């Protein structure tokens, strides 16, 4: 497996990096604060991990995990992700990102909007519907009876195949949820989002970040995706 570039060293980026190095995949991690801010994380991850600039992470391999706030997408250098398969973890949180008119009007999904900003990248929506602390808890080897599945969506078939291979090595099956215009099915409030991986889906909001996880096999995920309802994002308060 080629090197995985990771842009964003928050909870999701760090969780995926840990799974990657455990699967013998080299990673180059970058954030907005510079490589020197990643010393502790890189030391923890070991010799398969390195810190770099955003440009170095983007150019480290064919695949990149993009896990930064939506508001920061427009500040990425032009052409940074040209030709790269990009696992886009982005979700629209107005309290953090500000109001985005196209998303509030439901003209596009979050990742369709991201694709407009990154027209030369091969975006695959992934890792946006699971809590960061559930990622290591639910990762399992291929063939394990309690292996969980993650949804993906994208418009490029080959990019989705590469994403499926990578996610498989990281410890999850995948369910193809369709193209980017269908990715709303696993965005916040649509049904196939975070709580589906909780042992108790009714856990109170103030305890969800510590909630125990429960496996979600592919057939159950597929059923949830099929019954999802598109959220009214203009009414979203968080």
């Amino acid at each position: 497996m080629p090197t995985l570039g990771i842009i964003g060293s928050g909870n999701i980026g760090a969780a995926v990096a840990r799974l990657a190095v455990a699967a013998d995949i080299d990673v180059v991690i970058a954030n907005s604060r510079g490589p020197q801010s990643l010393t502790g994380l890189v030391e923890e991850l070991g010799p398969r991990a390195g810190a770099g600039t955003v440009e170095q992470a983007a150019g480290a391999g064919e695949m990149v995990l993009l896990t930064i706030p939506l508001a920061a997408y427009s500040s990425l250098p032009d052409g940074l992700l040209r030709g790269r398969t990009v696992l886009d973890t982005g979700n629209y949180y107005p309290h953090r990102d500000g109001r985005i008119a196209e998303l509030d009007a439901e003209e596009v999904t979050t990742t369709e909007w991201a694709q407009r900003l990154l027209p030369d990248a091969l975006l695959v929506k992934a890792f946006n519907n699971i809590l960061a602390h559930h990622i290591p808890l639910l990762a399992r080897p291929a063939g394990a009876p309690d292996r969980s599945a993650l949804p993906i969506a994208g418009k490029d078939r080959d990019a989705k195949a590469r994403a499926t291979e990578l996610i498989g090595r990281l410890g999850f099956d995948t369910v193809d949820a369709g193209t980017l215009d269908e990715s709303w099915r696993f965005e916040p409030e649509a049904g196939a989002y975070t709580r589906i991986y909780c042992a108790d889906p009714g856990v109170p909001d103030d305890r969800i970040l510590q909630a125990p996880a429960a496996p979600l096999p592919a057939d159950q995920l597929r059923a949830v995706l099929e019954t999802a309802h598109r959220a009214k994002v203009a009414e979203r308060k968080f």
Side-chain angles (χ1 to χ4, degrees), residues 15-33:
V16 172
R18 292 183 180 101
L19 293 186
V21 297
D24 295 328
I25 299 170
D26 293 337
V27 298
V28 176
I29 309 172
N31 64 19
S32 61
R33 299 182 301 279

Side-chain angles (χ1 to χ4, degrees), residues 17 41 52 55 59 64 68-69 72 90 94 108 123 156 168 179 186 212 232 236:
L41 177 60
E55 289 81 2
V64 178
I68 62 177
V108 291
L123 294 191
D156 186 281
T179 54
F186 53 104
K232 297 293 184 183
R236 185 173 298 160

Side-chain angles (χ1 to χ4, degrees), residues 83-237:
R84 297 291 190 270
T85 296
V86 178
L87 301 187
D88 174 25
T89 76
N91 285 315
Y92 175 38
Y93 301 123
H95 77 280
R96 177 197 67 185
D97 303 312
R99 305 303 315 198
I100 299 174
E102 297 93 329
L103 299 182
D104 284 347
E106 299 173 33
E107 296 174 2
V108 291
T109 63
T110 303
T111 305
E112 284 181 302
W113 182 83
Q115 186 72 80
R116 291 181 179 181
L117 296 179
L118 306 168
D120 300 321
L122 303 173
L123 294 191
V124 179
K125 185 89 162 180
F127 282 110
N128 70 294
N129 77 318
I130 184 170
L131 295 167
H133 79 283
H134 284 170
I135 292 174
L137 292 176
L138 291 176
R140 298 287 189 278
D146 58 346
R147 185 153 148 126
S148 293
L150 297 175
I152 61 172
K155 66 179 183 179
D156 186 281
R157 182 179 302 177
D158 291 338
K160 286 198 285 188
R162 289 188 289 271
T164 294
E165 180 183 2
L166 172 63
I167 293 169
R169 283 194 59 175
L170 296 178
F172 294 88
D173 293 331
T174 55
V175 171
D176 189 341
T179 54
L180 295 182
D181 64 337
E182 297 175 279
S183 61
W184 58 265
R185 293 181 181 276
F186 53 104
E187 290 180 352
E189 303 172 303
Y193 178 76
T194 61
R195 290 181 179 275
I196 60 176
Y197 299 102
C198 291
D200 174 13
V203 63
D205 289 346
D206 62 352
R207 292 169 51 197
I208 196 169
L209 294 182
Q210 293 79 39
L216 183 73
D219 58 344
Q220 291 184 23
L221 174 58
R222 194 173 290 110
V224 174
L225 289 166
E226 289 175 354
T227 59
H229 296 280
R230 190 161 187 169
K232 297 293 184 183
V233 293
E235 300 172 4
R236 185 173 298 160
K237 303 300 183 184

